[in-house]
Every structure is written in structure tokens, then in C-alpha cells.
Amino acid sequence: MPSRNGLILLLFCFLAAGAEPLLGNEITAVSILGLKRTKPHVAEQYVKKFLGRDAASLDLKEVEGAVLETGILEPVSVSIGDDPEGGGRLLQIELREKWSIIPFPLFFIGSGGDMGGGAFFMDANAFGVNDKMILGGLYRSSGWMVTAMYISTPDRDHVPGWSLRGSYAQEDRTGADQENNDIRRFSQESAAVSAGISYPLNEFFVPSLRASYDGRLLRHSDDPLRAPREDAHTISLSPELVLQKTVWDGYLSAQQNVSLAYIFTIGIDFPSSHALSFQAVYERSLIPGFKLGLKAGVLYDPDAEVLFESPPSAAQVDILPRNFAARNYAGGSFDIEKYIYKFSFGTLSLLASYQGVWSQGPVLGRRFDHGAAGSLRFYLSKLALPAIGVGVTYNVAAKYFQTNLSVGVSF
């Protein structure tokens, strides 16, 4: 049986042997390979949070998720090796840049004989610093529009992001009820410009402030219905707080985010108004490639005039017609998404949801609608677009069915 001194010596050797790997198993450096157009510091900004982490307990899927959060980079391989310049460990990440310069030729035929086309040009990695730029125009039988925007993404600590946007349009605008019957028709000319600034306090919490000008001029209409009585010129100030987090399970990303915004609209020879907007998303992967989600959206804008009523996206639902608009919303959905197949160029998934929404407006009054939605989504791994989706919705309360095509852009 070992003596007391022998036991102490054995314990000391055991602790010393155990302490050595712990001290040398810390991530002390990050190596990023595969960048061509993207500036190195842009990628480093997303993965530097892993410095100081214990290599043995580091989940490499978390590293892959951090890379995917850039929107412009795709992980090829992630591994851990010895740091050649120190006694710690090296996080090695090989990346592939997505196609970020994307032209969008468009052509469509909608319900009621509406048809048109146009073209957009997007650079999702402008100047190699993950900035977003888009220019484009669209012509349709009901009108035309041109738009331009530039969004600067914060790529260094203590550096704010900013955005500039502008658009001009002439259109025959239609307002619809839940069954897609016209309740308004009028023609308008609109011009809008806005500027915003955001300052990430950390990787999760981002406050921002946006200022905008919006002008709506009424034009002659051959067949008006409940048309507004006067033109509108407004200036809006909108502070917003966003709390966000994304988790990658190897197939699908799961988001948890909350946003709260206050909008103060100052009318120029036009009524002023106040509004509050709240949106939340909670998604959780049960197993890799299968996730559940809850979404909620509330808009309180009781003094909104006809020209500035909001679409159903304010309530995070899509069972209402595209031309539907209201002052106030409260809605939500329960989602189930399952990946179907993972290709080298993307992931195909199936999404099913059940949605409910309360709305209130000056013509339709208060109404509660509910219904089901389903879509086939394709998440692109080589193109700097989050997803392309083709889906259907059915509003049970209104007995209204519609199809939709969506192209997601992370702006």
C-alpha cells in the first residue's frame, strides 16, 4: 500500500498531467483559407469569438454556423491543429466564397391579367467587405418603379453600420379584402429616401435609428374607389432594438430574434402619427435537419392614413392577399420545417405552418383570419441569397387560396 508521501506524489503528478492539456488546449489563433474577394478581417469578425475557447469542447457546427452568418461565405472544412506560434491550438477554417454579384432578370404573369418584367443588379459583397448594393427597375401593367440601396455592414469592432435607400414609382394601387375583392382603387406617384445607422453592442444586440422622407402624390384614375383625398409628405424617425441569434445544425439554421421599433411620423401639411412594431422568431432544431418555429408580429398604428397602411408581413403571416392593408395587426404562426435533400449547391426543405392574424382597418373593421401554408424552399450554398421558395396558402376563414414565389435577400 502506498505511503502518505507516495499518495501525495501520485496526486501531484495526476494534477500536473491533467493541467497540461487544459493549459495547452485553448484556441489561441484562427487560420482562414480560401478568401479571394472578401477582406480577411470580414471573416475574422465572425469567428474571433472562438479565441480562448477550449478546443476539446468546441462544437465545430457552431463554427460552421458563424461562417454562414456572413451570408457570403460557405465552410468547406473546419479542423483544429497545433498553433505553430504558441502553446495553444489553431482553429483552421477553409472557406468558399458564394457568388455575390447577381443579376435578376424578371418576368411574371399575375392574377387579373397583371403582367410585367424588369431587371435588378445586386452585389451582396460590395468592395469585399460584405456591404450590400442593389439597383433595379420593374415595369408592370399597373405601373413601374426604380430603386437603389446601399447597406454598409459593420465589419470591425466599435464601427457603426449605415444604409441609404431611395425609390420612385408610379402605380395604379389596389386595396383588397380577405377574399381579394377590391375595396380601394387609386393612382399615385411616390418617392422615398431614407438613411439609417446601427451600432452592434455585441454579436446579439443591435440598436439602430432610421430617418426617412416619403412623398405620395395622387394622380388621375379612370375608375377610383375609396381613393384618398389628399397628397402626403412625411418625415419619419424610427429607433429600433434587435436581439438576434442563429444556430446551425448542419442542415438548417435556427433563429431566435426579437425586434421592437417605434415610428414617429411627422406630417408636412398632413396628420402626424405614432406607431409601435414588435416581431419575434423562435426556432429550435429537434434533430439535425428538423426544426420547429414560432413567429409573432404586432403592429399598432391607429392613426395611419390610407396611403400608409401596412401589409400583412407586419404580422409575419402570408395567408392574406398581397394587396391587403390595415392599420393594426396581431398575428403569429407555428412552423415545422424538414430538410429533404442536401446537394452540393444547396439544401432542399419542406415547410408547413398554421397561421392566425387579427387585423383592423377603416373599411373592413376588425377581423380574425386563420389558415395553413406550405412551401418548398431551396437554400443556396453557392449563391449569396438565403433562399428561394415556392408555396401555397389557404385562408380557412375567408376560403381564399393563393400561390406565392419568394426570393429572400438578407438586407
Side-chain angles (χ1 to χ4, degrees):
M1 184 175 182
S3 65
R4 179 180 177 184
N5 290 338
L7 287 173
I8 293 175
L9 180 61
L10 286 173
L11 180 60
F12 174 79
C13 292
F14 174 79
L15 291 175
E20 181 63 27
L22 290 176
L23 292 175
N25 211 39
E26 184 180 280
I27 301 293
T28 54
V30 176
S31 173
I32 297 177
L33 304 174
L35 297 180
K36 296 179 180 179
R37 187 184 181 209
T38 307
K39 307 296 184 189
H41 74 270
V42 174
E44 292 167 359
Q45 184 74 12
Y46 287 83
V47 298
K48 67 180 184 179
K49 63 184 178 181
F50 300 110
L51 290 172
R53 299 271 288 271
D54 178 40
S57 60
L58 181 62
D59 184 356
L60 299 186
K61 283 188 173 60
E62 186 181 354
V63 180
E64 293 178 358
V67 172
L68 291 170
E69 282 184 43
T70 66
I72 57 171
L73 302 173
E74 179 190 8
V76 176
S77 65
V78 179
S79 60
I80 296 175
D82 293 327
D83 184 357
E85 298 183 1
R89 304 285 276 169
L90 174 69
L91 179 61
Q92 299 173 315
I93 308 172
E94 184 180 356
L95 306 174
R96 178 167 49 235
E97 293 181 329
K98 296 184 179 184
W99 300 334
S100 57
I101 299 178
I102 309 167
F104 283 105
L106 296 175
F107 177 77
F108 61 88
I109 299 177
S111 59
D114 186 22
M115 60 183 299
F120 290 83
F121 171 82
M122 183 180 79
D123 188 350
N125 189 17
F127 304 105
V129 293
N130 205 12
D131 286 0
K132 317 297 179 188
M133 178 177 66
I134 188 167
L135 303 167
L138 182 68
Y139 176 83
R140 57 197 304 174
S141 53
S142 59
W144 59 273
M145 60 85 69
V146 291
T147 186
M149 66 179 70
Y150 190 95
I151 301 178
S152 177
T153 305
D155 57 356
R156 299 181 189 273
D157 290 337
H158 313 301
V159 174
W162 54 271
S163 65
L164 293 172
R165 308 179 192 225
S167 65
Y168 177 83
Q170 292 183 358
E171 62 178 329
D172 296 326
R173 184 170 162 184
T174 302
D177 63 10
Q178 286 85 346
E179 292 82 22
N180 204 27
N181 301 310
D182 289 355
I183 60 170
R184 292 190 189 278
R185 285 190 303 270
F186 58 93
S187 297
Q188 71 171 21
E189 179 180 354
S190 61
V193 293
S194 68
I197 188 169
S198 61
Y199 189 84
L201 299 179
N202 53 46
E203 62 177 307
F204 305 116
F205 189 55
V206 184
S208 64
L209 176 66
R210 187 179 66 171
S212 61
Y213 162 80
D214 200 337
R216 310 284 177 97
L217 305 177
L218 299 174
R219 294 293 179 248
H220 171 74
S221 177
D222 294 331
D223 186 24
L225 175 64
R226 294 192 180 95
R229 297 179 179 178
E230 57 182 344
D231 299 340
H233 298 274
T234 64
I235 295 174
S236 297
L237 297 174
S238 177
E240 182 177 12
L241 300 176
V242 177
L243 184 64
Q244 58 189 10
K245 180 182 179 181
T246 303
V247 179
W248 171 251
D249 68 6
Y251 296 90
L252 300 171
S253 63
Q255 302 179 49
Q256 292 97 46
N257 61 62
V258 176
S259 68
L260 178 64
Y262 165 72
I263 306 99
F264 177 40
T265 301
I266 306 169
I268 304 173
D269 293 329
F270 192 78
S272 299
S273 64
H274 303 262
L276 285 173
S277 172
F278 169 83
Q279 292 192 338
V281 176
Y282 179 81
E283 297 176 335
R284 183 179 180 87
S285 294
L286 299 182
I287 59 174
F290 180 71
K291 68 178 182 180
L292 302 180
L294 294 172
K295 295 180 181 178
V298 177
L299 174 68
Y300 181 68
D301 193 4
D303 299 319
E305 295 293 328
V306 172
L307 291 168
F308 298 105
E309 291 179 341
S310 299
S313 57
Q316 304 222 84
V317 299
D318 49 18
I319 58 173
L320 295 172
R322 298 173 187 86
N323 292 330
F324 186 90
R327 292 176 174 175
N328 304 311
Y329 289 100
S333 69
F334 173 71
D335 306 335
I336 300 175
E337 186 171 6
K338 176 69 173 67
Y339 102 97
I340 300 174
Y341 196 80
K342 189 171 185 178
F343 306 86
S344 60
F345 46 84
T347 300
L348 192 66
S349 75
L350 186 64
L351 173 70
S353 70
Y354 202 86
Q355 306 175 2
V357 56
W358 174 88
S359 60
Q360 186 273 328
V363 176
L364 299 174
R366 296 175 176 84
R367 172 77 178 261
F368 179 77
D369 293 273
H370 61 97
S375 65
L376 195 64
R377 289 186 173 183
F378 187 55
Y379 296 92
L380 304 164
S381 61
K382 298 185 182 298
L383 200 63
L385 289 174
I388 295 176
V390 179
V392 296
T393 66
Y394 181 69
N395 186 336
V396 175
K399 298 180 181 179
Y400 177 70
F401 175 87
Q402 64 180 334
T403 61
N404 58 69
L405 169 68
S406 62
V407 179
V409 180
S410 288
F411 283 177

